[in-house]
Amino acid sequence: LLNKCLERGINPEGQDAPKSIRQAVAMFFDDIYNPNSPHAGQVKDWPDKKRTETARWLTLVATGAGARSGNPCFTISDRGEGQTPERMPDTFLSLTKSNKLRIPFVQGKFNMGGTGVFEFCGQHGMQLIVTRRNPAILNGMLAHPSDTQWGFTIVLRENAGAGPVRSSVYTYLAPLGADQKPGQGGVLRFSADKMPMFPQGRDPYARESEWGTLIKLYEYAATGFKSNILMKDGLLSRMDLLLPDVALPVRLFECRKTYKGHEGSFENNLTGLGVRLEDDRGKNLEDGFPSPCPIGAMGEQMTATICAFKKGKAETYRKHEGIIFTLNGQTQGHLTPDFFTRGAVGLSYLADSILVMVDCSRF
């Protein structure tokens, strides 16, 4: 969304920028922009072909070991705005920057997405980042000679007791100029017209792109869902719940050779629980659901979407969640179904058949 905004020369923090994720999707991805339409920016109203075409440039791939022999590696690639080598320390590799705080149409607000994964990236906390700024955004205006190049680095955990390190720290590879300024070097960079960043079939690095970002998480501790990521108990269904109103579809690919199946069974779209419920409404939900319900509390406004499932269907969509709280389409916390069994609530008979999604984006 930021990439499309910047391509059009719109200041993401300015008056002409979209005021919400849904408005941004409508403005930049709908075939006809009609902001007054109830269907504007609604992925649930897109045909499958459009969902897949969009998701081909926003992918997650599982590679490496199968479930029985170790943890998988996950590669996330997108053809978004990308970053220049000089900007990487202030974006992907920053800890305290508020780059997106004043941009209302993005999901990442807390500057923790990139670091939140470190502790799960195997014994060494290892992550690879490769990125290049979209040339259309640069438009020939270079702040540094390397702005047209790809930048890359490796993040690694250095454990306590290794040399002068007294406590475990995460560091990233930045050797350029580090002999003159130790600990303040630049990331590595190279020139290439395009890079094979995106999957095709069972090949994780087949389709090329002139810009974008690839992040690889090594030996990821995917506890509880080590199976084929597209299966019922796999990563796809879990991410549907954690991104119930995802801004744009994401294409997931299972590229580990240990899993067998027919052609076409190794890739699928992540569209979020909201779209999935809408698609499955007739066979899994009771009539009249999902049902939206506006709520006001202490001056704050939110919308609760209530889903009442047919008998035995709830576990297809949830695990230990009764109420989930979302911000800009992303789950930030949840209450277990035990909430409904409390005496003050009095819905014990529905506890196994209900899920409530509370949108807190207007807080």
Side-chain angles (χ1 to χ4, degrees):
L1 297 177
L2 267 173
N3 178 63
K4 294 291 186 182
C5 186
L6 293 167
E7 275 187 339
R8 296 190 185 189
I10 301 172
N11 178 0
E13 298 180 15
Q15 289 297 315
D16 295 332
K19 301 301 185 285
S20 68
I21 287 179
R22 201 55 49 219
Q23 186 182 358
V25 173
M27 186 182 295
F28 302 135
F29 285 89
D30 279 359
D31 297 327
I32 299 175
Y33 179 44
N34 181 2
N36 298 318
S37 169
H39 305 292
Q42 297 282 358
V43 174
K44 66 182 181 181
D45 295 323
W46 290 6
D48 286 339
K49 183 179 180 182
K50 181 176 176 64
R51 293 179 187 177
T52 301
E53 286 175 351
T54 305
R56 290 181 74 248
W57 301 110
L58 183 57
T59 61
L60 184 147
V61 181
T63 59
R68 295 182 179 178
S69 53
N71 289 328
C73 298
F74 292 135
T75 302
I76 302 114
S77 302
D78 73 76
R79 194 153 71 165
E81 56 173 324
Q83 298 297 340
T84 65
E86 291 294 303
R87 282 170 55 91
M88 287 177 67
D90 293 323
T91 52
F92 292 117
L93 302 165
S94 66
L95 290 174
T96 59
K97 302 289 183 179
S98 55
N99 295 314
K100 299 176 181 177
L101 198 60
R102 292 176 295 277
I103 302 175
F105 59 92
V106 293
Q107 284 180 312
K109 295 284 190 183
F110 308 113
N111 198 242
M112 60 182 291
T115 55
V117 296
F118 288 166
E119 64 175 301
F120 304 106
C121 291
Q123 181 180 355
H124 304 290
M126 193 158 70
Q127 180 188 84
L128 166 71
I129 304 175
V130 184
T131 186
R132 187 193 191 196
R133 192 74 166 164
N134 183 349
I137 296 174
L138 291 172
N139 198 25
M141 305 287 288
L142 306 184
H144 190 273
S146 67
D147 281 358
T148 60
Q149 292 184 302
W150 296 83
F152 74 97
T153 189
I154 294 279
V155 177
L156 193 69
R157 174 175 174 162
E158 296 188 45
N159 293 320
V165 179
R166 291 194 168 191
S167 59
S168 297
V169 294
Y170 287 101
T171 59
Y172 64 89
L173 180 65
L176 299 186
D179 47 348
Q180 285 85 30
K181 293 184 177 180
Q184 299 181 45
V187 301
L188 294 166
R189 54 205 68 182
F190 63 93
S191 297
D193 292 334
K194 55 186 69 174
M195 285 290 290
M197 296 172 51
F198 292 94
Q200 184 73 49
R202 305 298 301 279
D203 186 343
Y205 312 109
R207 287 186 291 117
E208 295 183 319
S209 179
E210 295 84 5
W211 77 89
T213 300
L214 177 149
I215 298 177
K216 184 164 185 175
L217 314 174
Y218 289 88
E219 297 180 352
Y220 202 80
T223 306
F225 45 96
K226 289 185 179 181
S227 64
N228 181 324
I229 62 172
L230 305 180
M231 299 299 286
K232 180 181 177 181
D233 59 344
L235 182 64
L236 174 58
S237 60
R238 192 69 187 147
M239 289 179 66
D240 266 334
L241 195 64
L242 293 172
L243 292 166
D245 194 19
V246 64
L248 293 169
V250 181
R251 192 77 171 167
L252 269 62
F253 291 77
E254 177 57 82
C255 291
R256 289 174 289 175
K257 305 305 181 188
T258 51
Y259 296 112
K260 309 298 180 184
H262 60 83
E263 187 176 351
S265 63
F266 296 102
E267 57 185 274
N268 205 349
N269 291 334
L270 163 72
T271 52
L273 185 62
V275 173
R276 195 168 147 221
L277 285 168
E278 196 69 32
D279 289 347
D280 299 345
R281 178 200 293 247
K283 59 182 181 181
N284 290 334
L285 288 175
E286 296 287 357
D287 292 342
F289 293 92
S291 176
C293 173
I295 303 174
M298 298 176 67
E300 300 289 354
Q301 301 300 312
M302 62 200 102
T303 301
T305 300
I306 305 165
C307 301
F309 296 98
K310 294 180 179 178
K311 186 175 177 62
K313 298 295 185 180
E315 299 309 315
T316 305
Y317 301 93
R318 65 173 208 186
K319 287 192 178 293
H320 311 295
E321 296 81 12
I323 303 176
I324 60 175
F325 301 94
T326 69
L327 180 68
N328 277 1
Q330 184 175 354
T331 296
Q332 301 290 337
H334 75 274
L335 298 175
T336 64
D338 294 345
F339 173 85
F340 301 114
T341 66
R342 297 177 184 176
V345 180
L347 291 175
S348 298
Y349 60 99
L350 281 178
D352 294 334
S353 303
I354 193 170
L355 174 68
V356 179
M357 297 181 285
V358 182
D359 184 359
C360 306
S361 302
R362 295 171 65 188
F363 278 15

